[in-house]
Amino acid sequence: MIDMDQAGAGYIAIVELDDAGVRVSKERVGTRRFAELLVDLEGKTSNPEVKEAIFGQQPADPDLVLAVTLTGLSEIESSLDVDRLREELMECFFFVRIVNRSHPKLANISAENYPPHTILGKFVRMMRERISESGDETERRIAERALQLGVNLLQGKEVLR
Amino acid sequence: VILKKLGLKRFACFQDFEASFEPGLNVIKGPNEAGKSTLCSALLTALFTNPKTTAQMHRLKRSWGSDEMYEITLEFQTHEGRSYRLVKDFEAGTSKLVCLDDGESIIDRDEVDAWLKELLGLGSEALFKSSAFIGQGEVTLMNSGEIGPQLEKVITGGGAGVASEALRRLDEAISEMERGLYRPATYPGDLKKIQDRIDELRSKLATIRKGVEEAERCRGRLIEIEEELTRAQDDLQIKRGLKEKCDKRAKIEDQLNDLRSREKQLEQQMELARQMEVPALGWPIAGLLIGGLLFVIGAIGALLTSGSLQLLSALMGFVGSVIVCTSFIWYRRQQERQQKVREAKSSLQELEEDRKEISRQRRDAEEKLEEAGLAQASLKPEEYERLTQEIANLEANISRLEEERIEKRTVVERAPYDVEDVHRLEEELAEAQQQLEQKRERHDVYQLAREFIAKAQAAAMTSAKPLLEERMSRYLAHITEGRYTKVEVDEKTLGFRVSCGTAMLSPIEDVFGGTYYNLSQGTIDQLYLAARLALVEIIAGGRYPPLIFDDPFVRFDAERMKRAMKLCLEVASKHQILLFTCRNDYDQFARHIIRL
């Protein structure tokens, strides 16, 4: 097993000494490899789209340990399910770790777009206030995702498994 | 929606029945057991029941003596003027909705159900029964749990109970995630599963780490043991060598001493032999001669003389014989001595040879002492004793170390896990902890979304309250001729408070957990009738489901019944009303009367 931060692990260096001098060459000895991907969620709203972006960078490889970091601004209507995505990718790679560092595109959730007397309008306004009061990065991220989730749910979208 | 025609086959007491309805107030009249409640049930079944149902209560609706399930046909017209025929065949388990204008049809049961719910504006039978349907004595039976989501729909302007559905799904998701966290569960949720996995990994890691640390300690100790053994064996070898030399030196010295002693002895013997002289025999022979002469003279004198001479002669003879005897012994001894001296003299050569040999051996031994470096291997007895003790200690120490080496090797060889396993488990633990962190974050997201949707829902419901209160107040005031003019609605519980003049009457909880108002039963029925009419207007969201009343005004006095009927006529301009009764009181208000 290689560690999750051992890019290039699984090789040995062969050093050959002769009259001509010293030659060092890299030789693969292990079967497992590690790769790290950054996937920008901009414009991607579903698991298939994110999978497509991942496979665009890294073909399926049953010997590959893959660490995926989701970044960028995710679409508000995103129905991305990280757990399911991981389960799906686990079928194509030796091991998959996904860290979601993306933020919802809050600019698209403007309170003006939602009438204030509706539940959705009230929810958006309350959540935006909560986000602005968030103390730290984690609290803010949780509030942003709660806003994204709530907006999708209140629009009747199937975003929960 | 205006119901036009109802057809029943094999439905309870109706083997084959058909009835037509008109817009406005329809009174369906008949004596007891004529089948009024059965018709109400048939209408609800047509509108809301899945024809594939196997529920016993629906099977019991078959005509008596019939093995076959029933079929219900319902024709109706929408407010847009389009006519439809709905056929639900409970024997075949099929639904069919046909547009009588263009012949288009829907046969998928779920699609038909969804279409009907959308048409009625009331998403479920329970909600319909809570608002648009009033059975006998059922005025007060409203299911507030069903009304809430429909109020949302009114408030949000679309989507059936979307917030309640969102809350329900979030509750489900949160509950699913938390399953097993706070109480035991056969199938724990994600959080519990990962937490258990982490606990298991931690426990396993602690055990393996302990084993590996023990094995590593043994490996380290083995290296120390090897070093200690090497040092001890080297030390032992040196000390044994020294002891051997000491022993050898001691042995050689013993030999030397012996040789020296023998050499000295031989030299003394040789010196003695050299100094030995052959004893002379002259004096013993002279003694013999003198003694013999004296003895002869004495014997002759004794023989020849007498008296004192004779005595003197005898004495001389005696002395002579003694001298002879003594001289003879002396002679013999001298002879022996002579023999010995001669022998000694003759062995001097051999002694010399022996001495030379011993002398050579001594020199050899002395050379050995020099050559083997044994000269320095000279220890005092106490030093030798200490050396012997040190060797014994070293031997014991080596023996102990070898035993310990076997023991440690066994531990190392039998260790089922190694450092790699620890690293692997640490990696797994880190992965599980990260998963738990992600799940907890997701849980927090769900919780927060739930909390704020609930808050938003409550806030929005508060905004719906005035509309409901306004309609209810108007209807109640109309029925009670202005006696009760104001109704207040609790947006959370949908409970009502009614004002009579300046006093507000709240529901009172009774000892059985139910609630009642300090009002007559008739007035309570009127309050709830007002509530139902207001609710159906609000929650149907611009749609007009038919209202089905099964003799609901039995407790109304004549005046209030008349006022209620006038209200119903007002409502019937938008909602078709089917009023089932056994009385003739409503005939004057009816647009169409059906007699059973």
Side-chain angles (χ1 to χ4, degrees):
Chain A
M1 185 61 185
I2 61 173
D3 277 344
M4 288 297 285
D5 54 357
Q6 284 185 289
Y11 291 89
I12 58 162
I14 296 180
V15 181
E16 293 174 274
L17 301 169
D18 58 22
D19 295 341
V22 180
R23 281 190 305 281
V24 181
S25 55
K26 194 173 161 187
E27 188 70 26
R28 166 165 289 286
V29 290
T31 52
R32 308 277 179 253
R33 292 180 299 110
F34 172 78
E36 197 165 13
L37 293 185
L38 286 179
V39 177
D40 189 344
L41 292 185
E42 178 88 36
K44 300 170 187 68
T45 59
S46 63
N47 281 22
E49 286 172 305
V50 179
K51 270 175 77 178
E52 192 183 333
I54 290 170
F55 286 123
Q57 295 183 60
Q58 179 62 61
D61 182 345
D63 289 325
L64 188 71
V65 176
L66 183 65
V68 179
T69 304
L70 306 176
T71 62
L73 293 174
S74 60
E75 301 298 328
I76 290 309
E77 62 274 22
S78 172
S79 59
L80 179 68
D81 184 334
V82 175
D83 285 346
R84 186 179 286 179
L85 178 68
R86 182 174 178 274
E87 285 169 18
E88 289 167 357
L89 290 174
M90 282 290 280
E91 293 171 8
C92 307
F93 297 96
F94 178 73
F95 186 80
V96 178
R97 173 184 288 175
I98 300 177
V99 178
N100 191 357
R101 300 269 177 241
S102 68
H103 291 270
K105 208 184 274 179
L106 293 185
N108 289 2
I109 312 183
S110 168
E112 289 71 40
N113 296 338
Y114 303 94
H117 69 279
T118 63
I119 294 178
L120 185 51
K122 289 182 192 301
F123 175 75
V124 169
R125 283 167 178 77
M126 287 175 176
M127 283 306 307
R128 290 208 73 110
E129 194 180 333
R130 172 61 178 259
I131 290 166
S132 67
E133 290 168 356
S134 297
D136 58 28
E137 173 62 23
T138 307
E139 204 178 318
R140 184 181 179 82
R141 189 171 63 241
I142 288 171
E144 285 175 353
R145 289 188 181 156
L147 170 59
Q148 184 182 30
L149 174 66
V151 167
N152 281 312
L153 284 171
L154 290 174
Q155 288 176 340
K157 290 180 183 166
E158 293 285 332
V159 286
L160 291 178
R161 274 207 268 185
Chain B
V1 179
I2 297 164
L3 304 181
K4 305 289 284 184
K5 195 182 283 183
L6 174 69
L8 301 176
K9 284 182 182 170
R10 301 177 298 281
F11 193 91
C13 58
F14 298 106
Q15 188 62 36
D16 195 353
F17 172 84
E18 195 172 284
S20 297
F21 308 107
E22 295 291 331
L25 179 61
N26 291 260
V27 173
I28 300 103
K29 202 166 63 173
N32 290 339
E33 297 190 23
K36 299 187 294 295
S37 296
T38 304
L39 281 183
C40 288
S41 173
L43 283 167
L44 289 176
T45 305
L47 293 172
F48 295 105
T49 304
N50 180 349
K52 211 158 174 65
T53 183
T54 55
Q56 183 65 10
M57 61 174 286
H58 289 287
R59 299 194 68 79
L60 291 173
K61 290 176 185 171
R62 285 178 300 182
S63 284
W64 304 321
S66 172
D67 291 334
E68 219 175 328
M69 287 290 280
Y70 41 87
E71 181 186 290
I72 305 176
T73 304
L74 188 64
E75 287 183 15
F76 53 87
Q77 189 180 44
T78 64
H79 267 71
E80 292 78 30
R82 292 177 72 79
S83 297
Y84 293 88
R85 180 187 295 126
L86 170 71
V87 181
K88 286 194 175 178
D89 184 344
F90 286 79
E91 178 64 26
T94 58
S95 291
K96 187 175 183 182
L97 182 70
V98 183
C99 178
L100 301 176
D101 300 320
D102 57 17
E104 279 188 24
S105 63
I106 305 173
I107 54 170
D108 183 88
R109 279 190 308 273
D110 294 337
E111 273 187 54
V112 170
D113 283 350
W115 193 92
L116 282 172
K117 283 173 185 172
E118 183 64 24
L119 179 74
L120 295 169
L122 299 168
S124 68
E125 182 177 351
L127 185 63
F128 188 89
K129 281 178 143 179
S130 296
S131 54
F133 178 87
I134 307 176
Q136 282 181 349
E138 287 181 342
V139 177
T140 55
L141 293 180
M142 289 198 297
N143 186 340
S144 61
E146 285 286 329
I147 291 167
Q150 283 298 321
L151 277 175
E152 273 175 44
K153 175 184 164 183
V154 175
I155 297 158
T156 53
V162 72
S164 293
E165 176 64 11
L167 288 175
R168 187 189 63 76
R169 296 183 63 199
L170 281 169
D171 282 341
E172 268 181 18
I174 291 166
S175 170
E176 168 68 25
M177 288 175 100
E178 290 178 347
R179 198 169 351 108
L181 269 187
Y182 306 115
R183 58 183 178 197
T186 311
Y187 303 104
D190 283 353
L191 287 172
K192 175 67 176 163
K193 273 196 274 192
I194 299 176
Q195 188 58 59
D196 285 350
R197 170 91 182 123
I198 286 173
D199 291 346
E200 183 192 331
L201 282 171
R202 276 192 181 135
S203 165
K204 198 172 174 184
L205 186 60
T207 308
I208 290 179
R209 197 177 266 156
K210 198 175 165 189
V212 169
E213 279 172 1
E214 177 63 23
E216 284 304 301
R217 266 200 302 277
C218 287
R219 280 198 183 89
R221 180 67 191 134
L222 268 176
I223 294 168
E224 287 174 7
I225 288 171
E226 292 297 342
E227 287 170 356
E228 282 177 32
L229 264 176
T230 305
R231 276 200 304 274
Q233 281 165 343
D234 289 349
D235 203 12
L236 179 64
Q237 195 176 354
I238 291 167
K239 284 189 163 57
R240 271 182 179 161
L242 180 60
K243 186 172 180 290
E244 275 175 23
K245 282 180 181 175
C246 288
D247 291 343
K248 196 170 177 182
R249 179 188 170 93
K251 193 176 170 187
I252 293 171
E253 277 181 345
D254 284 349
Q255 281 178 345
L256 265 175
N257 290 337
D258 183 48
L259 288 168
R260 280 178 186 142
S261 167
R262 283 171 61 195
E263 190 178 12
K264 196 174 176 181
Q265 207 176 359
L266 282 170
E267 280 174 354
Q268 285 173 347
Q269 282 178 353
M270 284 170 65
E271 187 57 33
L272 202 63
R274 277 193 206 97
Q275 289 173 0
M276 275 186 179
E277 288 180 3
V278 179
L281 293 175
W283 285 107
I285 293 169
L288 280 171
L289 290 173
I290 292 168
L293 186 59
L294 284 174
F295 180 74
V296 171
I297 293 169
I300 294 168
L303 290 172
L304 296 177
T305 62
S306 61
S308 58
L309 282 173
Q310 191 180 21
L311 187 62
L312 188 62
S313 295
L315 186 60
M316 189 183 295
F318 176 71
V319 169
S321 64
V322 169
I323 289 170
V324 168
C325 288
T326 305
S327 295
F328 181 75
I329 292 167
W330 188 16
Y331 177 77
R332 290 298 301 170
R333 283 184 180 170
Q334 285 297 83
Q335 269 188 323
E336 285 173 1
R337 281 180 188 159
Q338 269 187 338
Q339 185 61 33
K340 281 183 181 173
V341 169
R342 282 191 196 100
E343 284 175 357
K345 294 275 185 195
S346 66
S347 66
L348 195 58
Q349 188 64 32
E350 289 175 7
L351 286 173
E352 180 60 22
E353 288 298 319
D354 288 348
R355 191 196 64 80
K356 279 182 183 173
E357 177 57 27
I358 286 169
S359 182
R360 188 186 59 76
Q361 286 179 3
R362 178 184 55 79
R363 280 196 305 278
D364 286 349
E366 284 171 345
E367 279 172 11
K368 271 186 191 171
L369 272 181
E370 292 300 320
E371 282 172 9
L374 299 177
Q376 292 78 30
S378 172
L379 295 175
K380 293 174 185 171
E382 63 272 20
E383 290 174 334
Y384 182 81
E385 186 60 32
R386 196 161 56 238
L387 177 66
T388 307
Q389 188 57 47
E390 283 173 0
I391 287 171
N393 289 345
L394 278 171
E395 284 171 343
N397 192 30
I398 286 169
S399 173
R400 183 184 59 77
L401 286 170
E402 282 173 343
E403 281 174 17
E404 194 183 355
R405 180 167 63 181
I406 291 169
E407 180 194 328
K408 301 297 179 199
R409 271 184 185 160
T410 307
V411 172
V412 169
E413 283 162 8
R414 286 186 182 172
Y417 302 104
D418 58 18
V419 179
E420 275 295 304
D421 294 311
V422 172
H423 291 163
R424 183 177 51 74
L425 274 177
E426 283 173 343
E427 189 74 22
E428 279 183 47
L429 181 61
E431 179 62 27
Q433 281 170 331
Q434 202 205 16
Q435 271 186 28
L436 182 63
E437 200 180 309
Q438 286 179 353
K439 292 280 183 194
R440 278 186 177 152
E441 189 169 310
R442 174 180 281 211
H443 176 265
D444 292 348
V445 168
Y446 285 9
Q447 288 272 37
L448 193 63
R450 198 223 172 279
E451 180 189 337
F452 277 76
I453 288 174
K455 279 183 183 173
Q457 186 188 32
M461 292 293 262
T462 304
S463 69
K465 182 180 158 184
L467 186 62
L468 188 60
E469 286 175 343
E470 185 269 319
R471 298 285 162 85
M472 281 184 69
S473 299
R474 186 158 61 86
Y475 292 152
L476 187 63
H478 178 89
I479 299 169
T480 61
E481 208 178 353
R483 180 173 169 75
Y484 300 100
T485 52
K486 189 172 169 57
V487 176
E488 286 183 5
V489 178
D490 184 324
E491 67 272 16
K492 288 181 183 167
T493 63
L494 291 178
F496 309 117
R497 296 172 74 218
V498 187
S499 74
C500 176
T502 54
M504 287 302 292
L505 304 174
S506 299
I508 302 164
E509 197 166 308
D510 64 22
V511 293
F512 303 108
T515 56
Y516 68 92
Y517 290 86
N518 194 11
L519 298 167
S520 71
Q521 192 58 51
T523 307
I524 291 171
D525 283 358
Q526 288 144 26
L527 171 67
Y528 278 105
L529 176 66
R532 283 172 179 261
L533 292 175
L535 276 173
V536 79
E537 196 173 330
I538 294 172
I539 65 182
R543 293 176 180 80
Y544 303 99
L547 306 181
I548 300 171
F549 297 164
D550 188 4
D551 222 352
F553 311 130
V554 287
R555 287 186 289 210
F556 288 29
D557 62 36
E559 185 56 32
R560 288 195 180 176
M561 192 272 283
K562 195 182 288 180
R563 297 189 71 82
M565 287 309 297
K566 281 184 179 171
L567 178 61
C568 285
L569 282 178
E570 189 185 317
V571 172
S573 64
K574 290 181 179 174
H575 297 267
Q576 182 189 38
I577 297 177
L578 307 182
L579 197 159
F580 294 82
T581 183
C582 57
R583 297 189 290 171
N584 300 321
D585 301 348
Y586 311 109
D587 291 0
Q588 55 182 311
F589 304 101
R591 177 174 174 181
H592 180 57
I593 297 172
I594 301 160
R595 289 184 174 78
L596 294 177

